Structure formats: C-alpha cells, structure tokens
Amino acid sequence: IMLCYFTAIVNARERVYITSPYFIPNNSIYDALKKAALSGKDVRLLVPGISDSYFVNAASESYYEELLTCGVKIYRYEKGFIHAKTIVADDNLAIISTANMDFRSFEFNFEIGAVIYGERVCNELTEVFLNDLKDSSQITLHDWEQRSHWTVVKSKVARLLSPLL
C-alpha cells in the first residue's frame, strides 16, 4: 500500500489530493509530497481538525511546517472526525484504502486498498474532497509559525514516539 501511495504521488502530473485521519508519513512519502509540491503540483492534504488521538495528532503536526514551506496545502476538517483514506492523482488514478498514512498501516496492520483507474471515479472523489474542504480550515505557514514553543516541543516529542502509536 505504501508503494501504491508513493507511486501515485510521484507520478501525478498536476495534482494530488489526500485525505488521511492519521498522518505520520515515512520518509519516502514525506519526501514525495515535498517534491511534488516543489515541482509545482497542487498537493493538498486533508486531516482531522478533531482527532480521536491527542498523540497521533501532535505527531502529525510535527510534519506540517516543512510541508507548508514546500507548498503543500494542509486543511483541517472541522465538521467532526474525518476517517476517509483516499488519494486522487490527476483525473486518472484514485486509491481508496483502509490504510492510514502511517508506519503502523504500512508495516504491521493488515490493510486493503483499491487502486482505481478512470476519470469518472476520480472526478467523483475530487468533488467529495473539494466539498470536504468547505468544512475545513486551511493552515497557513504564517499562522503555523506563530504556534507556542510548548506546542512545538509537544509535537516533536510525539514524533519521536510515533512508531509506537
């Protein structure tokens, strides 16, 4: 599943829209997202604004600043806990999966995913993603840099512990 995610991100030509309730990417996914954004692709990440795990949320946040610096647009879903796990790359590839974008899903959990090629499904999933953004708030780099020192420390500690989460 990780290789499918990676391939979708690096092969996208115009855009990659990702929804993940638990976002603790491994180095390959992290680098692929940054490279895609730096290459001028429209890379958007939708994560929960309200998480069911304080530590996972804190660990996720430790990745945001560098992604924002590279041009990834990050949104927090505010209408409840978003649990979808989808990737839409351009108009021709979509992945719907049980796997989160985290170490446990990639290495330990038994997950399943569907890789779908086709414009119709991609357009439908893109529409759902864009509608979810209407119930989300975008994180800007400027706002992110205004976080308290304590918040930064908490997320860095959570990141160190993230392989255990």
Side-chain angles (χ1 to χ4, degrees):
I1 290 175
M2 190 282 293
L3 291 174
C4 287
Y5 286 4
F6 177 82
T7 303
I9 295 164
V10 298
N11 287 332
R13 292 192 172 129
E14 295 176 21
R15 67 182 168 279
V16 180
Y17 296 161
I18 299 168
T19 305
S20 183
Y22 305 107
F23 179 77
I24 304 174
N26 65 12
N27 289 337
S28 297
I29 297 293
Y30 192 47
D31 289 343
L33 290 168
K34 293 184 291 185
K35 181 181 180 244
L38 289 168
S39 299
K41 295 169 186 145
D42 180 12
V43 181
R44 300 183 193 191
L45 174 63
L46 180 59
V47 294
I50 303 164
S51 181
D52 65 346
S53 173
Y54 174 80
F55 288 110
V56 170
N57 193 49
S60 295
E61 290 176 350
S62 72
Y63 294 92
Y64 294 174
E65 187 168 354
E66 194 168 346
L67 291 171
L68 291 165
T69 300
C70 292
V72 174
K73 297 176 187 98
I74 303 174
Y75 300 85
R76 285 184 169 148
Y77 186 75
E78 304 294 346
K79 197 176 174 182
F81 180 62
I82 194 160
H83 204 257
K85 297 148 186 116
T86 63
I87 297 178
V88 182
D90 299 327
D91 292 326
N92 57 357
L93 175 71
I95 301 171
I96 302 171
S97 178
T98 62
N100 296 300
M101 201 163 282
D102 66 5
F103 178 77
R104 291 179 60 86
S105 288
F106 293 156
E107 300 295 331
F108 296 121
N109 295 347
F110 294 101
E111 307 282 3
I112 190 166
V115 178
I116 304 163
Y117 297 96
E119 193 173 329
R120 185 182 61 80
V121 171
C122 290
N123 288 339
E124 289 175 12
L125 287 173
T126 296
E127 186 177 328
V128 169
F129 183 88
L130 295 174
N131 281 333
D132 286 340
L133 292 188
K134 293 175 186 174
D135 295 314
S136 305
S137 59
Q138 184 173 1
I139 300 170
T140 66
L141 180 59
H142 174 71
D143 291 341
W144 197 249
E145 291 173 335
Q146 306 307 312
R147 294 173 298 140
S148 72
H149 180 69
W150 176 242
T151 303
V152 173
V153 169
K154 286 190 296 187
S155 58
K156 287 184 178 183
V157 169
R159 184 171 178 167
L160 286 174
L161 299 173
S162 64
L164 305 173
L165 300 175

